[in-house]
């Protein structure tokens, strides 16, 4: 009898795993692997300052492999943190801590909601202040950065809930008080890019005023990790590769089942994987990514599906650059060029 019961429990466990693997499966997105966007510059023209960034990341990983969450958050601020030439004003965004970042001449009526990256676990408005201040300075926008809830204290869905709260709030509030914006943009990098693409779809589905445009810096668009570059670019991604090398070898269905608890929703839910949702009738979107990073195909597939769906999506691809290389300026020329590309995108849309 004990052996029979043991076998019965084993059979039930196997059945549950098979059911969950089926339930959390992601559709095949390989039809959106082509066309492949051209590089904005040849690899032979990559600046020598890129080597300095690689040295910084080598030190970053060497010192951060066993850090606590709190220490990792401090380390992220030290990695990207810089003194900026902008006015930074703390603000309460319906209970979410945030800050307005305004460079000289920024227009309070032209607003940009920025959602920082950091794997839904690290990062803050402080760590990403160089990016937000440069976007403000170059595009003339008043930038709102929020300190949304993160793992492990909260689930990924809570990050998205805070992004939605901030989107509603910025539609009615600016740096000078209550008012509607003349132009509204949403931007974010990596995990923040994931939230950016999710929130513009949510705004469309819920009848909110659409953003004038959206910007994603190497966004995570498919949380099921099915894009081929997660594996093909493992060795060429010095930012994500060292930390995700072991993780990415775990069977996808296992990752999907386990992460269901930390995410709060299945990985194939469009809220967590914008690529898997409806990409029609979305605001004009600019994506920037490195051809050699693990998240490359997430951007490529989103771009191609978005265009097929009738939305305007532009993809700018750099060779060799590290994940979210925009944060390594002003010393890195490619970061400066990318940030100026964002400003051009904003200026084009506000001039229409």
């Amino acid at each position: 009898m004990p052996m029979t019961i043991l076998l019965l429990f084993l059979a039930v466990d196997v059945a549950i795993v098979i059911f969950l693997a089926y339930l959390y499966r992601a559709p095949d997105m390989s039809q959106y692997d082509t066309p492949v966007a051209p590089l904005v510059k040849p690899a032979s023209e990559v600046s020598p300052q890129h080597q300095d960034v690689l040295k910084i990341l080598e030190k970053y990983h060497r010192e951060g492999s066993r850090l606590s969450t709190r220490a990792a958050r401090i380390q992220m601020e030290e990695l990207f943190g810089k003194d900026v030439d902008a006015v930074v004003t703390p603000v309460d965004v319906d209970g979410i801590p945030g800050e307005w970042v305004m460079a000289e001449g920024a227009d309070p009526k032209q607003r940009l909601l920025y959602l920082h990256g950091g794997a839904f676990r690290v990062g803050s408005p402080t760590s990403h202040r160089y990016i937000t201040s440069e976007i403000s300075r170059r595009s003339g926008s008043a930038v709102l950065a929020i300190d949304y809830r993160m793992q492990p204290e909260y689930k990924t869905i809570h990050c998205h809930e805070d992004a939605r709260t901030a989107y509603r709030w910025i539609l009615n509030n600016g740096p000078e008080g209550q008012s509607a914006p003349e132009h509204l943009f949403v931007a974010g990098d990596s995990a923040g890019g994931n939230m950016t693409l999710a929130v513009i779809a949510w705004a469309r589905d819920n009848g909110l005023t659409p953003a004038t445009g959206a910007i994603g810096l190497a966004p995570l668009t498919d949380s099921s990790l099915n894009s081929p570059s997660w594996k093909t670019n493992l060795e060429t991604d010095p930012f994500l590769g060292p930390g995700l090398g072991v993780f990415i070898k775990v069977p996808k269905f296992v990752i999907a089942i386990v992460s269901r608890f930390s995410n709060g929703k299945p990985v194939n839910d469009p809220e967590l994987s914008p690529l898997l949702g409806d990409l029609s009738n979305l605001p004009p979107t600019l994506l920037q990514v490195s051809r050699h990073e693990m998240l490359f195909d997430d951007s490529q597939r989103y771009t191609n599906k978005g265009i097929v769906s009738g939305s305007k999506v532009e993809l700018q691809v750099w060779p060799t650059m590290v994940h979210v290389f925009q944060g390594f300026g002003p010393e890195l020329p490619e970061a400066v060029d990318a940030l100026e590309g964002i400003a051009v995108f904003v200026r084009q849309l506000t001039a229409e």
Side-chain angles (χ1 to χ4, degrees):
M1 181 66 70
M3 180 59 71
T4 302
I5 294 175
L6 179 62
L7 292 174
L8 178 61
F9 275 115
L10 180 61
V12 171
D13 289 342
V14 171
I16 290 174
V17 169
I18 293 174
F19 172 73
L20 291 175
Y22 175 81
L23 184 66
Y24 296 159
R25 75 194 187 286
D28 181 10
M29 293 283 110
S30 60
Q31 68 267 39
Y32 301 115
D33 285 337
T34 56
V36 178
L39 297 174
V40 299
K41 66 190 300 184
S44 60
E45 295 181 8
V46 169
S47 69
Q49 289 89 334
H50 172 66
Q51 294 301 317
D52 297 330
V53 173
L54 296 182
K55 293 177 183 177
I56 292 172
L57 286 177
E58 183 180 357
K59 181 174 182 289
Y60 173 81
H61 286 294
R62 185 171 62 249
E63 296 178 351
S65 59
R66 298 180 180 229
L67 291 179
S68 65
T69 298
R70 181 177 180 277
R73 289 170 180 170
I74 294 173
Q75 187 195 34
M76 175 64 78
E77 294 191 354
E78 293 173 345
L79 176 68
F80 280 142
K82 295 179 176 67
D83 294 330
V84 300
D85 185 16
V87 176
V88 178
T89 307
V91 63
D92 182 286
V93 182
D94 275 351
I96 305 167
E99 63 182 36
W100 283 108
V101 180
M102 295 187 65
E104 184 177 358
D107 183 357
K109 289 287 189 177
Q110 181 174 304
R111 300 171 196 160
L112 185 146
L113 170 62
Y114 194 87
L115 304 166
H116 71 78
F120 304 106
R121 177 174 176 266
V122 299
S124 69
T126 301
S127 65
H128 285 64
R129 200 171 283 161
Y130 170 73
I131 292 177
T132 55
S133 65
E134 282 297 296
I135 290 177
S136 178
R137 182 173 71 85
R138 294 173 181 275
S139 70
S141 305
V143 178
L144 173 67
I146 63 167
D147 197 5
Y148 57 84
R149 292 171 291 174
M150 294 188 290
Q151 297 183 17
E153 298 92 337
Y154 300 94
K155 298 180 184 296
T156 305
I157 56 170
H158 297 126
C159 307
H160 285 270
E161 287 173 3
D162 287 355
R164 294 173 177 181
T165 297
Y167 190 98
R168 286 187 183 275
W169 188 88
I170 201 172
L171 287 174
N172 298 295
N173 297 273
E176 296 179 342
Q178 290 189 345
S179 66
E182 293 179 1
H183 299 285
L184 171 63
F185 293 84
V186 186
D189 62 281
S190 197
N194 171 276
M195 295 158 63
T196 294
L197 300 179
V199 81
I200 60 173
W202 167 82
R204 174 203 61 198
D205 295 341
N206 287 271
L208 274 69
T209 302
T212 307
I215 301 122
L217 313 183
L220 171 68
T221 68
D222 184 356
S223 294
S224 69
L225 310 184
N226 276 322
S227 295
S229 57
W230 277 103
K231 289 186 176 180
T232 59
N233 286 357
L234 176 61
E235 300 300 326
T236 59
D237 190 328
F239 201 155
L240 300 181
L244 295 177
V246 175
F247 175 75
I248 204 65
K249 295 176 183 177
V250 176
K252 296 292 192 306
F253 78 91
V254 175
I255 295 175
I257 293 172
V258 173
S259 63
R260 173 67 175 82
F261 300 97
S262 60
N263 288 332
K265 282 190 175 183
V267 293
N268 58 0
D269 190 300
E271 180 179 337
L272 303 182
S273 296
L275 173 66
L276 307 185
D278 177 11
L279 302 190
S280 64
N281 300 312
L282 292 172
T285 301
L286 170 67
L287 303 184
Q288 295 181 338
V289 71
S290 167
R291 178 63 185 85
H292 293 84
E293 65 171 299
M294 295 170 74
L295 277 165
F296 167 71
D297 283 320
D298 273 42
S299 287
Q300 186 66 79
R301 287 182 169 186
Y302 185 93
T303 299
N304 289 335
K305 183 180 178 181
I307 292 172
V308 169
S309 301
S311 294
K312 182 179 179 181
V313 187
E314 177 186 355
L315 177 59
Q316 297 176 351
V317 184
W318 272 259
T320 308
M321 291 295 106
V322 303
H323 182 58
V324 193
F325 64 93
Q326 296 86 347
F328 292 95
E331 295 82 7
L332 183 66
E334 287 83 2
V336 174
D337 292 343
L339 290 166
E340 183 58 28
I342 293 172
V344 170
F345 174 76
V346 171
R347 289 196 294 266
Q348 288 175 340
L349 291 176
T350 54
E352 293 178 357

